[in-house]
Amino acid sequence: MASKKGLLLNILTKDWNTPFNMPPFETIQAGDFEGAIDIFLKLAKENFEKVAENCESPTFANTIKKMEMADRPLSSITAIYFNLISANSTRELEDMQEDIVAKLTKFKMAVLTDARIYNRIRVLYNDKESLNLTYEEKRVIELYYRNFTRSGAKLKISQKRRLTFIMKRLSELGTKFSKNILEEERNWKLELSENDLIGLSNDLISSLKQSGLERNVSAPVLTLSRSHLVPFLESSPNQVLREKSFKAWVSRGLNSSNNNKAIVSEILELRAERAKLIGFRNFSEFKLEPEMAKKPETVKTFLMELWKIAKVKASEESKILMALKREDNEFEELQPWDWRYYESKLRNKTFGVDSSDMKSFFKLENIREAAFSVAYNLFNLEFVSVSLSLYHEDAQAWEVKREGVHVGIFIADYFARPSKRSGAWCSTLRSQSKFNGPISPIVLNVCNFAKPTKYNNALLTFDDALTLFHEFGHALHNLLSNVNFDIISGTSVARDFVELPSQLYEHWLTCPYVLENYIIHEKTGKKFPKKVLDSIKLLKKFGSGFSSVEYLASAIVDLELHSANK
């Protein structure tokens, strides 16, 4: 627990006199979080207790609205904390993570299993058609009722205790799992000699040298960042290095010091027990019940039908790539670390597409401005650059406006670094809502593109550019949210629907307007050749077998692991 003096100086416990009420990142210290979370956790408990103790008949106002407000200050602080853990973590932030997650899980389960609160929600749920509610208010009640019933509110006291233990333990295991992966990605590096750089593009070599400088190494350094790994696997003729780096990537969390095998095993057991406590045969049934598919059997049938088709397609692709491998006097069976290399060769040989040459057309600033421009044409949104104190120097911010009226803040953080977890995602520091006064969203897009040297432009691969558009689609989903309540704000929609806006937005990358105005060569200003775009489309069809099998294999294994009736 933080000292009294420390709390008095803790910026997180005070009102922020900042533009757009942005978190005051320049003055936040890692040590501020524990004290602030304790304060707002206590306040949230008191607020929910008032709801539980209310002797008046439950109404939407005295129950649902009070609950929506009860933990808002706590949610504000934890949103900052968990965004930092993902995007710019430090040892100090990580050291307190298990304790913070345990406290939050215990609090959440205490609320969700409180019979007094559940009974108030149950009354509203049963009477919702006669309460003169809006469609949105009915939906909010339905979600609260579902969340409470699926969290064990109807269980016996002994079962609630066991479920609370399970959820607390799962949160601990999930935290350990993520920390182990981050540790592996942070620590693994491969120093490269001049000979090891043969076949690599100048852009990738520059990025690897920059990576070395960031790690105080004079040699170019390959890391497990996708922005390094994928182009290296595509272009390095050195099979030994391809194998070494590929195996390092797929074995994250399997090494002695950061081994996740026991963690995964315990997670599976606890998830199965959790599902049975709630009344389901297994975790897959529990997880799928509120979704469109409803049952694991439906999902399995769908996946296996796709698997049959994808496997045939992947086998055909494998034969084509194996023929290319034989041309290099390599006669061993095609290996996982060979696939991207020979697929890249096929691009060059058959389709006339070179990934490194293509990057010259995908300047990061241009692609980002293209995403902004499409948003203006579709939704009349303007993105105005603003100077704000953010959590890292690589992050940039824009005020989003519509016809001069403030909509929200968009933050883009595109470059890979050791303090950031891998992947690409969209998150929020603040969600949109209206019921207690208008609150505008603060939305982040976080990616792991290769950071250029100070002398070069930031260039993207075609897939990187798609990723930028995809995540921007999620950002727009949050920015254009126009609801009253946090529980349905932004991407807090049916899980089946979350990816739809982002996947639709991807397609605007190759629309004629974007191709004509934004996908231009960084030096010559030439427009992106249409024949190359046509080749990319053909190539994507070629690689569909491999990409489908890769995804489906993971999905099928996941479904099987969570469908065991233990």
Side-chain angles (χ1 to χ4, degrees), residues 501-513:
S502 55
Q503 290 189 11
L504 287 176
Y505 207 78
E506 285 181 25
H507 294 285
W508 291 102
L509 175 64
T510 53
C511 75
Y513 169 76

Side-chain angles (χ1 to χ4, degrees), residues 3-264:
S3 68
K4 193 169 184 180
K5 181 181 178 182
L7 291 177
L8 290 172
L9 299 174
N10 190 334
I11 188 65
L12 293 176
T13 64
K14 303 177 183 298
D15 291 332
W16 306 334
N17 184 24
T18 57
F20 311 108
N21 200 29
M22 279 285 296
F25 286 110
E26 75 279 6
T27 53
I28 295 174
Q29 302 295 317
D32 293 337
F33 282 104
E34 285 186 294
I37 287 173
D38 284 342
I39 287 174
F40 292 124
L41 193 55
K42 183 174 182 292
L43 176 62
K45 289 176 182 177
E46 292 170 354
N47 289 339
F48 277 109
E49 186 62 24
K50 289 175 184 176
V51 175
E53 289 182 337
N54 192 339
C55 295
E56 298 175 0
S57 297
T59 65
F60 193 88
N62 70 20
T63 303
I64 302 300
K65 285 187 175 181
K66 293 292 185 183
M67 291 177 69
E68 281 283 288
M69 289 298 296
D71 62 349
R72 182 169 280 183
L74 177 65
S75 297
S76 176
I77 302 305
T78 54
I80 301 170
Y81 175 76
F82 287 113
N83 272 288
L84 287 176
I85 280 287
S86 295
N88 195 32
S89 191
T90 65
R91 298 292 185 190
E92 192 173 357
L93 288 171
E94 291 165 20
D95 287 345
M96 64 182 76
Q97 188 177 2
E98 288 184 36
D99 184 52
I100 286 174
V101 170
K103 287 178 182 177
L104 294 174
T105 303
K106 183 179 179 181
F107 157 71
K108 181 181 178 182
M109 289 304 297
V111 172
L112 290 171
T113 58
D114 191 314
R116 298 167 301 169
I117 298 177
Y118 168 68
N119 286 332
R120 296 182 69 82
I121 294 170
R122 180 175 54 81
V123 169
L124 292 173
Y125 177 78
N126 291 334
D127 295 343
K128 64 182 183 295
E129 298 302 331
S130 61
L131 294 177
N132 194 31
L133 301 171
T134 66
Y135 175 82
E136 183 180 333
E137 289 169 340
K138 288 179 185 177
R139 176 63 176 162
V140 168
I141 289 175
E142 289 169 357
L143 288 175
Y144 269 106
Y145 180 76
R146 188 176 79 183
N147 289 347
F148 271 71
T149 55
R150 287 172 58 82
S151 298
K154 295 192 289 186
L155 297 179
K156 297 175 183 178
I157 292 176
S158 60
Q159 292 174 313
K160 288 180 180 179
R161 289 198 191 104
R162 178 60 185 170
L163 186 58
T164 297
F165 169 81
I166 288 171
M167 297 306 293
K168 183 174 179 291
R169 181 60 180 156
L170 282 172
S171 69
E172 292 170 355
L173 293 169
T175 299
K176 288 179 181 177
F177 182 96
S178 298
K179 286 173 73 173
N180 283 347
I181 295 293
L182 181 61
E183 197 69 19
E184 297 257 297
E185 292 176 353
R186 179 186 281 155
N187 292 339
W188 190 91
K189 65 179 186 294
L190 182 62
E191 295 183 25
L192 303 175
S193 68
E194 285 299 316
N195 284 338
D196 297 334
L197 303 179
I198 293 172
L200 309 187
S201 68
N202 291 333
D203 180 62
L204 178 57
I205 293 171
S206 295
S207 180
L208 296 175
K209 287 180 177 178
Q210 176 70 25
S211 177
L213 292 173
E214 291 171 355
R215 289 160 177 79
N216 297 316
V217 176
S218 57
V221 168
L222 177 67
T223 72
L224 292 181
S225 166
R226 277 186 178 271
S227 59
H228 285 170
L229 190 65
V230 171
F232 184 82
L233 290 173
E234 287 179 339
S235 57
S236 175
N238 190 323
Q239 188 178 21
V240 173
L241 293 183
R242 292 203 312 269
E243 179 179 358
K244 187 173 184 178
S245 56
F246 180 87
K247 286 183 174 179
W249 173 257
V250 298
S251 65
R252 291 167 303 152
L254 293 176
N255 299 304
S256 57
S257 57
N258 299 299
N259 198 303
N260 278 332
K261 290 176 72 174
I263 291 174
V264 170

Side-chain angles (χ1 to χ4, degrees), residues 486-512:
D486 286 340
I487 194 173
I488 54 172
S489 180
T491 53
S492 297
V493 294
R495 184 68 184 169
D496 307 61
F497 185 75
V498 169
E499 293 297 323
L500 181 63
S502 55
Q503 290 189 11
L504 287 176
Y505 207 78
E506 285 181 25
H507 294 285
W508 291 102
L509 175 64
T510 53
C511 75

Side-chain angles (χ1 to χ4, degrees), residues 98 170 265 272 308 320 329 332 346 354 518 527 539:
E98 288 184 36
L170 282 172
S265 179
K308 292 176 188 175
I320 294 171
N329 294 316
E332 293 180 3
L346 183 72
D354 187 300
Y518 294 98
K527 294 177 182 177
L539 186 63

